[in-house]
Amino acid sequence: MTRLVRGADGRMWTVRTHIEWSNPAGVDEFEHDVNAGRTSGIVMAVLVLGLVAVLVAWTPSDVVVPFWLLLALAMLVLFFPARWALRRQWTVVAETPGDLEEHGPERWVGAVRGMMAAHQETTKIARDIEVYSTPAVDGPLQPID
């Protein structure tokens, strides 16, 4: 998502967010140092899909499978991929080319985890720029030289 915002000093800012499909180095160092990487997730996905396939294959033909059981199995299989997609990291960038008189170009970059959190932070950053002419220093964005 991209948003154009006019700051209190008249400068035009572009606030944009985009999803990161892979974690950049240095993000959540402790959590990623402790886990086993992608291998355990892939093994668990194959195991769950294999167990569902065995359950379907061994079901006698005269057994009527209730709809709620199929729905529960689908939710079980899709839970972790959906959670992974919704909790991905988003990069938020606020930049302005500046003006010729007083201010030079500025670029602020930060990271937010989750789609809803990224939308809320983008709204908050746009409001801070409209009121204070720059993003809040105590927010997720930090100035880049």
Side-chain angles (χ1 to χ4, degrees):
M1 70 183 95
T2 301
R3 189 180 287 191
L4 288 173
V5 180
R6 181 176 299 279
D9 58 359
R11 293 185 291 170
M12 290 301 295
W13 287 75
T14 303
V15 180
R16 67 178 184 273
T17 59
H18 64 275
I19 193 166
E20 294 290 338
W21 291 108
S22 63
N23 286 332
V27 175
D28 298 332
E29 294 92 358
F30 179 74
E31 177 182 342
H32 292 290
D33 285 345
V34 175
N35 74 14
R38 295 185 179 139
T39 306
S40 60
I42 292 170
V43 168
M44 288 302 293
V46 168
L47 182 68
V48 168
L49 289 174
L51 289 174
V52 169
V54 168
L55 177 68
V56 169
W58 280 0
T59 303
S61 60
D62 57 343
V63 173
V64 177
V65 179
F67 178 72
W68 62 267
L69 181 61
L70 297 176
L71 186 63
L73 288 175
M75 288 176 56
L76 177 70
V77 169
L78 296 176
F79 173 75
F80 287 109
R83 181 180 180 274
W84 177 85
L86 290 174
R87 294 290 301 156
R88 293 306 312 153
Q89 178 173 319
W90 288 71
T91 300
V92 183
V93 178
E95 58 189 350
T96 181
D99 57 14
L100 298 175
E101 297 136 13
E102 295 180 33
H103 305 285
E106 288 186 51
R107 180 177 168 93
W108 294 60
V109 179
V112 179
R113 188 167 291 281
M115 183 176 61
M116 294 302 294
H119 180 69
Q120 290 172 352
E121 281 299 326
T122 302
T123 303
K124 183 177 180 279
I125 290 165
R127 188 175 56 242
D128 287 341
I129 290 172
E130 288 174 350
V131 174
Y132 303 113
S133 299
T134 61
V137 178
D138 60 344
L141 297 184
Q142 299 300 317
I144 303 295
D145 293 331

